[in-house]
Amino acid sequence: MASASEDLGYLIRVHPNYPSLVFRKEFQTIALFNTWVKENPNQHATFITNRKYEPPKASDVSQTPGTRGSGRPKTLLSSTTYICDHARCAPPRNPNGPNKKPRTSKNTIKVNCPAKYLVKYLLDGKVKVEYHWKHENHDPTEISDAVRSKLPPTTLQWIQNHVDNHLDWEKIQEHLRLTEEELQAYNILITRPEFQH
């Protein structure tokens, strides 16, 4: 059985340790890529889907099947861009707009963070990734930042599954508690150099 922390999609946030600000890699399979995502970007911060792209099919455009307009062979199956949940800026408030009542909402987490990763799924089954891992204007490893971040999709799904199974709060809390083994592993993990800053 997987631990609650694995089911929820995170255990602890870590600082990446790449030699440059942009990390590029080609994975031979989607499974290897998914493992990398789980162990790297998802351990660092919360990323959300920003854009998806699928090139037009050969039947949709007037060109030779299997090539792009330039005559080059088509290699891209699709691509997806994931951005930090602190990306973009807060929308400006218009005091003269239709809703003149003051809004009562918490402050936005949007601080124009440039961290993102672009994933290209290729026709041969390989996956190329370009990871811009440097966060600006916030530190995703800080507890205060993590508390304000969006929940990862796996966490939202975990909560939904338990609510759908009609579990009460006490039962859900039991699932959230770490076992002795998990607690010991966590204590060992946080003593590693990459967790110290």
PDB file of all heavy atoms in Angstrom, residues 40-56:
ATOM      1  N   ASN A  40      11.182  15.527  -9.246  1.00  0.00           N
ATOM      2  CA  ASN A  40      11.842  16.810  -9.422  1.00  0.00           C
ATOM      3  C   ASN A  40      10.866  17.981  -9.357  1.00  0.00           C
ATOM      4  O   ASN A  40      10.707  18.534  -8.274  1.00  0.00           O
ATOM      5  CB  ASN A  40      12.676  16.795 -10.704  1.00  0.00           C
ATOM      6  CG  ASN A  40      13.881  15.891 -10.562  1.00  0.00           C
ATOM      7  OD1 ASN A  40      14.872  16.289  -9.997  1.00  0.00           O
ATOM      8  ND2 ASN A  40      13.774  14.656 -11.014  1.00  0.00           N
ATOM      9  N   PRO A  41      10.206  18.385 -10.448  1.00  0.00           N
ATOM     10  CA  PRO A  41       9.335  19.555 -10.338  1.00  0.00           C
ATOM     11  C   PRO A  41       8.260  19.424  -9.248  1.00  0.00           C
ATOM     12  O   PRO A  41       8.018  20.369  -8.509  1.00  0.00           O
ATOM     13  CB  PRO A  41       8.686  19.665 -11.725  1.00  0.00           C
ATOM     14  CG  PRO A  41       9.605  18.975 -12.633  1.00  0.00           C
ATOM     15  CD  PRO A  41      10.236  17.881 -11.824  1.00  0.00           C
ATOM     16  N   ASN A  42       7.656  18.254  -9.118  1.00  0.00           N
ATOM     17  CA  ASN A  42       6.595  18.100  -8.120  1.00  0.00           C
ATOM     18  C   ASN A  42       7.124  18.079  -6.693  1.00  0.00           C
ATOM     19  O   ASN A  42       6.359  18.285  -5.757  1.00  0.00           O
ATOM     20  CB  ASN A  42       5.763  16.851  -8.397  1.00  0.00           C
ATOM     21  CG  ASN A  42       4.888  17.012  -9.618  1.00  0.00           C
ATOM     22  OD1 ASN A  42       4.805  18.095 -10.203  1.00  0.00           O
ATOM     23  ND2 ASN A  42       4.234  15.951 -10.019  1.00  0.00           N
ATOM     24  N   GLN A  43       8.416  17.824  -6.519  1.00  0.00           N
ATOM     25  CA  GLN A  43       9.023  17.909  -5.189  1.00  0.00           C
ATOM     26  C   GLN A  43       9.480  19.337  -4.898  1.00  0.00           C
ATOM     27  O   GLN A  43       9.824  19.658  -3.782  1.00  0.00           O
ATOM     28  CB  GLN A  43      10.226  16.967  -5.081  1.00  0.00           C
ATOM     29  CG  GLN A  43       9.861  15.518  -5.014  1.00  0.00           C
ATOM     30  CD  GLN A  43       9.246  15.142  -3.678  1.00  0.00           C
ATOM     31  OE1 GLN A  43       9.696  15.565  -2.635  1.00  0.00           O
ATOM     32  NE2 GLN A  43       8.200  14.349  -3.739  1.00  0.00           N
ATOM     33  N   HIS A  44       9.503  20.167  -5.913  1.00  0.00           N
ATOM     34  CA  HIS A  44      10.006  21.527  -5.770  1.00  0.00           C
ATOM     35  C   HIS A  44       8.889  22.543  -5.572  1.00  0.00           C
ATOM     36  O   HIS A  44       8.997  23.435  -4.741  1.00  0.00           O
ATOM     37  CB  HIS A  44      10.833  21.867  -7.013  1.00  0.00           C
ATOM     38  CG  HIS A  44      11.432  23.227  -6.992  1.00  0.00           C
ATOM     39  ND1 HIS A  44      11.710  23.917  -8.125  1.00  0.00           N
ATOM     40  CD2 HIS A  44      11.806  24.033  -5.983  1.00  0.00           C
ATOM     41  CE1 HIS A  44      12.227  25.089  -7.815  1.00  0.00           C
ATOM     42  NE2 HIS A  44      12.296  25.178  -6.521  1.00  0.00           N
ATOM     43  N   ALA A  45       7.818  22.426  -6.317  1.00  0.00           N
ATOM     44  CA  ALA A  45       6.748  23.422  -6.271  1.00  0.00           C
ATOM     45  C   ALA A  45       5.477  22.827  -6.870  1.00  0.00           C
ATOM     46  O   ALA A  45       5.462  21.681  -7.300  1.00  0.00           O
ATOM     47  CB  ALA A  45       7.158  24.665  -7.055  1.00  0.00           C
ATOM     48  N   THR A  46       4.434  23.637  -6.909  1.00  0.00           N
ATOM     49  CA  THR A  46       3.186  23.225  -7.541  1.00  0.00           C
ATOM     50  C   THR A  46       3.123  23.870  -8.921  1.00  0.00           C
ATOM     51  O   THR A  46       3.239  25.084  -9.045  1.00  0.00           O
ATOM     52  CB  THR A  46       1.968  23.655  -6.704  1.00  0.00           C
ATOM     53  OG1 THR A  46       2.076  23.080  -5.409  1.00  0.00           O
ATOM     54  CG2 THR A  46       0.669  23.216  -7.352  1.00  0.00           C
ATOM     55  N   PHE A  47       2.964  23.033  -9.936  1.00  0.00           N
ATOM     56  CA  PHE A  47       2.860  23.509 -11.308  1.00  0.00           C
ATOM     57  C   PHE A  47       1.470  23.199 -11.846  1.00  0.00           C
ATOM     58  O   PHE A  47       0.892  22.166 -11.505  1.00  0.00           O
ATOM     59  CB  PHE A  47       3.927  22.849 -12.194  1.00  0.00           C
ATOM     60  CG  PHE A  47       5.314  23.322 -11.908  1.00  0.00           C
ATOM     61  CD1 PHE A  47       6.086  22.704 -10.937  1.00  0.00           C
ATOM     62  CD2 PHE A  47       5.848  24.395 -12.598  1.00  0.00           C
ATOM     63  CE1 PHE A  47       7.366  23.145 -10.657  1.00  0.00           C
ATOM     64  CE2 PHE A  47       7.135  24.846 -12.331  1.00  0.00           C
ATOM     65  CZ  PHE A  47       7.888  24.217 -11.351  1.00  0.00           C
ATOM     66  N   ILE A  48       0.948  24.098 -12.661  1.00  0.00           N
ATOM     67  CA  ILE A  48      -0.373  23.915 -13.248  1.00  0.00           C
ATOM     68  C   ILE A  48      -0.253  23.959 -14.773  1.00  0.00           C
ATOM     69  O   ILE A  48       0.663  24.573 -15.316  1.00  0.00           O
ATOM     70  CB  ILE A  48      -1.371  24.994 -12.753  1.00  0.00           C
ATOM     71  CG1 ILE A  48      -0.829  26.405 -13.019  1.00  0.00           C
ATOM     72  CG2 ILE A  48      -1.662  24.814 -11.274  1.00  0.00           C
ATOM     73  CD1 ILE A  48      -1.778  27.528 -12.641  1.00  0.00           C
ATOM     74  N   THR A  49      -1.184  23.299 -15.443  1.00  0.00           N
ATOM     75  CA  THR A  49      -1.174  23.284 -16.906  1.00  0.00           C
ATOM     76  C   THR A  49      -1.497  24.673 -17.427  1.00  0.00           C
ATOM     77  O   THR A  49      -2.479  25.286 -17.013  1.00  0.00           O
ATOM     78  CB  THR A  49      -2.206  22.279 -17.442  1.00  0.00           C
ATOM     79  OG1 THR A  49      -1.924  21.008 -16.866  1.00  0.00           O
ATOM     80  CG2 THR A  49      -2.150  22.187 -18.951  1.00  0.00           C
ATOM     81  N   ASN A  50      -0.674  25.157 -18.332  1.00  0.00           N
ATOM     82  CA  ASN A  50      -0.900  26.467 -18.925  1.00  0.00           C
ATOM     83  C   ASN A  50      -1.387  26.344 -20.361  1.00  0.00           C
ATOM     84  O   ASN A  50      -2.391  26.941 -20.725  1.00  0.00           O
ATOM     85  CB  ASN A  50       0.381  27.300 -18.874  1.00  0.00           C
ATOM     86  CG  ASN A  50       0.185  28.693 -19.407  1.00  0.00           C
ATOM     87  OD1 ASN A  50      -0.820  29.320 -19.151  1.00  0.00           O
ATOM     88  ND2 ASN A  50       1.151  29.189 -20.157  1.00  0.00           N
ATOM     89  N   ARG A  51      -0.675  25.566 -21.171  1.00  0.00           N
ATOM     90  CA  ARG A  51      -1.021  25.423 -22.580  1.00  0.00           C
ATOM     91  C   ARG A  51      -0.816  24.002 -23.038  1.00  0.00           C
ATOM     92  O   ARG A  51       0.124  23.337 -22.615  1.00  0.00           O
ATOM     93  CB  ARG A  51      -0.125  26.305 -23.448  1.00  0.00           C
ATOM     94  CG  ARG A  51      -0.614  27.686 -23.664  1.00  0.00           C
ATOM     95  CD  ARG A  51       0.356  28.388 -24.554  1.00  0.00           C
ATOM     96  NE  ARG A  51       1.629  28.413 -23.829  1.00  0.00           N
ATOM     97  CZ  ARG A  51       2.591  29.256 -24.041  1.00  0.00           C
ATOM     98  NH1 ARG A  51       2.497  30.122 -24.989  1.00  0.00           N
ATOM     99  NH2 ARG A  51       3.702  29.235 -23.339  1.00  0.00           N
ATOM    100  N   LYS A  52      -1.693  23.570 -23.940  1.00  0.00           N
ATOM    101  CA  LYS A  52      -1.514  22.286 -24.614  1.00  0.00           C
ATOM    102  C   LYS A  52      -1.565  22.552 -26.106  1.00  0.00           C
ATOM    103  O   LYS A  52      -2.325  23.398 -26.563  1.00  0.00           O
ATOM    104  CB  LYS A  52      -2.623  21.301 -24.232  1.00  0.00           C
ATOM    105  CG  LYS A  52      -2.531  20.821 -22.812  1.00  0.00           C
ATOM    106  CD  LYS A  52      -3.557  19.759 -22.522  1.00  0.00           C
ATOM    107  CE  LYS A  52      -3.377  19.245 -21.108  1.00  0.00           C
ATOM    108  NZ  LYS A  52      -4.236  18.112 -20.840  1.00  0.00           N
ATOM    109  N   TYR A  53      -0.746  21.818 -26.841  1.00  0.00           N
ATOM    110  CA  TYR A  53      -0.708  22.000 -28.291  1.00  0.00           C
ATOM    111  C   TYR A  53      -0.623  20.640 -28.964  1.00  0.00           C
ATOM    112  O   TYR A  53       0.146  19.778 -28.554  1.00  0.00           O
ATOM    113  CB  TYR A  53       0.510  22.840 -28.702  1.00  0.00           C
ATOM    114  CG  TYR A  53       0.748  22.860 -30.185  1.00  0.00           C
ATOM    115  CD1 TYR A  53      -0.057  23.623 -31.022  1.00  0.00           C
ATOM    116  CD2 TYR A  53       1.751  22.092 -30.763  1.00  0.00           C
ATOM    117  CE1 TYR A  53       0.145  23.630 -32.394  1.00  0.00           C
ATOM    118  CE2 TYR A  53       1.969  22.094 -32.126  1.00  0.00           C
ATOM    119  CZ  TYR A  53       1.154  22.870 -32.938  1.00  0.00           C
ATOM    120  OH  TYR A  53       1.352  22.869 -34.286  1.00  0.00           O
ATOM    121  N   GLU A  54      -1.457  20.464 -29.955  1.00  0.00           N
ATOM    122  CA  GLU A  54      -1.373  19.295 -30.828  1.00  0.00           C
ATOM    123  C   GLU A  54      -1.312  19.812 -32.251  1.00  0.00           C
ATOM    124  O   GLU A  54      -2.192  20.551 -32.680  1.00  0.00           O
ATOM    125  CB  GLU A  54      -2.596  18.390 -30.638  1.00  0.00           C
ATOM    126  CG  GLU A  54      -2.619  17.692 -29.304  1.00  0.00           C
ATOM    127  CD  GLU A  54      -3.745  16.683 -29.182  1.00  0.00           C
ATOM    128  OE1 GLU A  54      -4.208  16.176 -30.222  1.00  0.00           O
ATOM    129  OE2 GLU A  54      -4.147  16.421 -28.048  1.00  0.00           O
ATOM    130  N   PRO A  55      -0.265  19.444 -32.991  1.00  0.00           N
ATOM    131  CA  PRO A  55      -0.163  19.934 -34.370  1.00  0.00           C
ATOM    132  C   PRO A  55      -1.310  19.391 -35.211  1.00  0.00           C
ATOM    133  O   PRO A  55      -1.857  18.326 -34.908  1.00  0.00           O
ATOM    134  CB  PRO A  55       1.187  19.402 -34.847  1.00  0.00           C
ATOM    135  CG  PRO A  55       1.600  18.359 -33.884  1.00  0.00           C
ATOM    136  CD  PRO A  55       0.840  18.579 -32.615  1.00  0.00           C
ATOM    137  N   PRO A  56      -1.689  20.122 -36.240  1.00  0.00           N
ATOM    138  CA  PRO A  56      -2.781  19.642 -37.091  1.00  0.00           C
ATOM    139  C   PRO A  56      -2.413  18.331 -37.772  1.00  0.00           C
ATOM    140  O   PRO A  56      -1.253  18.083 -38.089  1.00  0.00           O
ATOM    141  CB  PRO A  56      -2.959  20.762 -38.119  1.00  0.00           C
ATOM    142  CG  PRO A  56      -1.735  21.592 -38.036  1.00  0.00           C
ATOM    143  CD  PRO A  56      -1.123  21.376 -36.688  1.00  0.00           C
TER     144      PRO A  56
END
